[in-house]
Amino acid sequence: MISSRAILLLFAFLILSISINLYPVINAESESAATDGVVMEGLTAEQESAIAESKESFVFQAEVNRLMDIIINSLYKNREVFLRELISNASDALDKLRFLAVSASEMLGDLKDLYIQISYNENLKTITIRDTGIGMTKQELINNLGTLAKSGTKKFLDNLSEGADVGLIGQFGVGFYSVYLIADKVRVITKNNEDEQYIWESTAESSFTIAKDPRGNTLGRGTEITMFLKEDALEFLKQDKLEEIIKHHSEFINFPISLYKKTSEVVEVPEEVEDKDTVDEDGLEVEEEKEKKPKTEKVDKWDWHRLNGNVAIWSREKDSITDEEYQKFFKVISKEPSDALTWIHFKAEGEIEFKSILYVPTEANNLYEDYNNRKAGVRLYVRKVLIQEDFEDLLPKYLNFIKGVVDSDDLPLNVSR
């Protein structure tokens, strides 16, 4: 007789054999599912495979790893700033191209429109921002996204690690790394006039990859950044949320910012009309006409919608601005229905230069009845990007009824901006 122990051993051996034989099949099926699906819009599974085969791996500079860790865990408490930072970077790329095109108009080529476009995909859980700016070469991808070229930023990191209370980052675009607040993986596709189109990709770990785009030149020129969202960041796939962030932080950016959004409209549906002939008293056929209400249905339509139509009039010379424009701008920033009582438009020069418009509204709106809780009415901008909505350091608290803006091109940015 076979002992119970021998039966158990035989049973265990059979299970192990089945598991070993099934593993390649299960593994192959999971790999097939990963490659058969579309990873992002515009790239097929075959093109994704070509990228995987041709990509080169690079290691982040140590300071970049430290910087990303600080940004993700310490600096940005409000995750929505990722979009503000990317729009600001896109605007800088467009500004650079426009400046260079003044002396070399051929740089614009066939793509003469300068704009920023933002789209999202709920199924793939991605957000994409694209600009038609200067773009980057392969070497610039390595330098700009893989290393910290500014010695001032390295000094900031060194001081911070030593426990110093340092707020100055300088004007290096560290904001790009804020994408990892909401994304597990980021892919940057870019085309510069001096190089071919490349794809940069990283998961915010210690390395990144670069590959030549197998599709060739699809952008024409510029940069496209696609973020693959974390599960706890899916709120940013809501159309209203994206629109609110863009309008709040970037309404005065010089270049058009458009969101690919869904709108619903009611349309008439054509229907076949049957003509029924009836016979009258004299035996003659009479065509009967019936009035029918047209049949309608609700359809969804996707299209680009510009979100930043307001003009930053503070950057213009005050002699070129009419009173009507000043009053219109006051209503934009204050949300007040009535006109301002008076205003002052000035430019300050010194160690830090800035431009400002300050308004005195018609009423103080019960300022002194809620004195301690009343927030400042002056907004702080840096290069037309909203940094702080209630800038309390400019005016004393008893002047919080004053509305206005302060904008500087060379203001040192605080770590939290």
Side-chain angles (χ1 to χ4, degrees):
M1 292 194 49
I2 302 176
S3 66
S4 58
R5 183 180 179 185
I7 293 173
L8 287 173
L9 288 172
L10 179 61
F11 184 66
F13 176 76
L14 288 172
I15 292 176
L16 182 62
S17 299
I18 293 170
S19 300
I20 292 172
N21 289 330
L22 280 177
Y23 176 75
V25 177
I26 296 171
N27 193 47
E29 287 178 354
S30 62
E31 288 182 359
S32 175
T35 54
D36 286 346
V38 176
V39 176
M40 63 172 282
E41 290 180 282
L43 284 164
T44 64
E46 291 76 13
Q47 291 166 340
E48 291 284 355
S49 298
I51 293 170
E53 292 172 3
S54 63
K55 65 184 180 183
E56 301 177 65
S57 294
F58 300 85
V59 177
F60 277 119
Q61 188 185 37
E63 284 78 4
V64 173
N65 281 326
R66 293 168 60 196
L67 181 63
M68 284 194 289
D69 182 65
I70 291 171
I71 289 175
I72 293 171
N73 297 308
S74 305
L75 297 188
Y76 292 107
K77 296 178 182 178
N78 188 359
R79 295 199 296 177
E80 70 179 35
V81 299
F82 81 93
L83 193 53
R84 178 191 73 185
E85 298 297 301
L86 293 184
I87 290 174
S88 180
N89 289 348
S91 177
D92 290 343
L94 290 164
D95 267 326
K96 185 176 181 180
L97 175 66
R98 185 168 62 178
F99 175 78
L100 294 173
V102 171
S103 57
S105 58
E106 67 276 4
M107 292 190 69
L108 294 175
D110 296 330
L111 190 57
K112 300 188 185 301
D113 293 333
L114 304 181
Y115 55 80
I116 300 169
Q117 292 181 333
I118 299 166
S119 60
Y120 64 97
N121 188 309
E122 291 180 292
N123 295 327
L124 299 176
K125 299 177 183 178
T126 61
I127 297 175
T128 300
I129 176 169
R130 191 219 162 160
D131 67 74
T132 56
I134 192 70
M136 288 178 280
T137 64
K138 179 182 178 181
Q139 190 58 46
E140 286 172 337
L141 275 175
I142 298 170
N143 294 340
N144 295 346
L145 303 185
T147 64
L148 296 186
K150 298 280 186 179
S151 59
T153 309
K154 186 177 185 303
K155 184 179 179 182
F156 152 74
L157 291 170
D158 292 338
N159 290 335
L160 194 65
S161 63
E162 293 171 4
D165 183 17
V166 180
L168 182 65
I169 283 184
Q171 295 188 11
F172 176 74
V174 296
F176 167 78
Y177 301 110
S178 65
V179 293
Y180 292 109
L181 289 168
I182 54 98
D184 288 316
K185 182 175 74 171
V186 177
R187 178 174 280 179
V188 179
I189 303 174
T190 188
K191 174 68 175 73
N192 182 278
N193 289 336
E194 304 299 321
D195 207 343
E196 297 184 71
Q197 186 164 303
Y198 284 92
I199 299 176
W200 180 99
E201 187 176 307
S202 179
T203 54
E205 295 177 351
S206 59
S207 63
F208 61 92
T209 63
I210 296 178
K212 190 180 295 185
D213 195 326
R215 301 169 299 173
N217 180 11
T218 60
L219 295 180
R221 184 194 62 246
T223 300
E224 181 181 275
I225 301 173
T226 298
M227 292 147 277
F228 299 80
L229 300 194
K230 299 176 181 178
E231 287 299 322
D232 65 350
L234 299 183
E235 61 179 302
F236 295 104
L237 289 175
K238 295 180 180 178
Q239 181 172 286
D240 293 342
K241 179 77 170 177
L242 288 173
E243 188 169 353
E244 177 189 352
I245 296 171
I246 296 166
K247 286 183 175 180
H248 181 69
H249 290 288
S250 308
E251 62 179 328
F252 296 113
I253 292 289
N254 287 332
F255 304 98
I257 303 173
S258 299
L259 177 65
Y260 195 62
K261 57 185 291 189
K262 179 174 69 174
T263 55
S264 298
E265 59 182 20
V266 177
V267 297
E268 290 188 12
V269 179
E271 56 180 338
E272 295 182 2
V273 179
E274 294 183 3
D275 294 331
K276 293 184 179 180
D277 295 334
T278 57
V279 179
D280 63 5
E281 297 177 353
D282 300 324
L284 300 174
E285 290 186 357
V286 179
E287 188 175 325
E288 185 179 348
E289 293 183 2
K290 290 185 178 180
E291 289 187 7
K292 289 186 177 181
K293 291 183 178 180
K295 188 177 180 182
T296 61
E297 67 176 8
K298 193 175 182 180
V299 297
D300 293 332
K301 182 180 179 182
W302 288 87
D303 205 354
W304 294 104
H305 293 260
R306 182 172 178 176
L307 302 182
N308 64 328
N310 294 319
V311 179
I313 66 171
W314 67 77
S315 61
R316 292 162 50 188
E317 293 297 329
K318 58 183 179 181
D319 294 337
S320 67
I321 306 172
T322 65
D323 288 353
E324 184 181 353
E325 288 178 302
Y326 275 119
Q327 294 288 12
K328 182 180 178 181
F329 182 70
F330 168 72
K331 292 174 182 177
V332 167
I333 63 171
S334 68
K335 312 303 180 188
E336 296 279 350
S338 58
D339 289 343
L341 184 64
T342 186
W343 60 86
I344 181 173
H345 184 182
F346 63 96
K347 177 180 180 181
E349 297 180 349
E351 184 177 347
I352 296 174
E353 296 185 4
F354 65 89
K355 297 177 181 178
S356 177
I357 301 179
L358 300 178
Y359 290 92
V360 177
T362 307
E363 297 180 0
N365 292 328
N366 303 321
L367 168 66
Y368 300 108
E369 294 179 10
D370 193 23
Y371 184 78
N372 292 323
N373 297 323
R374 184 69 176 269
K375 292 185 177 181
V378 179
R379 299 180 179 184
L380 174 63
Y381 288 81
V382 173
R383 296 186 293 277
K384 301 184 180 67
V385 177
L386 179 63
I387 301 303
Q388 190 172 344
E389 193 166 12
D390 47 355
F391 187 32
E392 297 180 348
D393 298 329
L394 182 66
L395 298 173
K397 200 172 185 66
Y398 59 80
L399 292 179
N400 276 357
F401 62 86
I402 290 179
K403 307 291 184 182
V405 298
V406 175
D407 185 25
S408 175
D409 287 342
D410 57 358
L411 185 69
L413 299 179
N414 183 273
V415 171
S416 62
R417 279 205 168 192

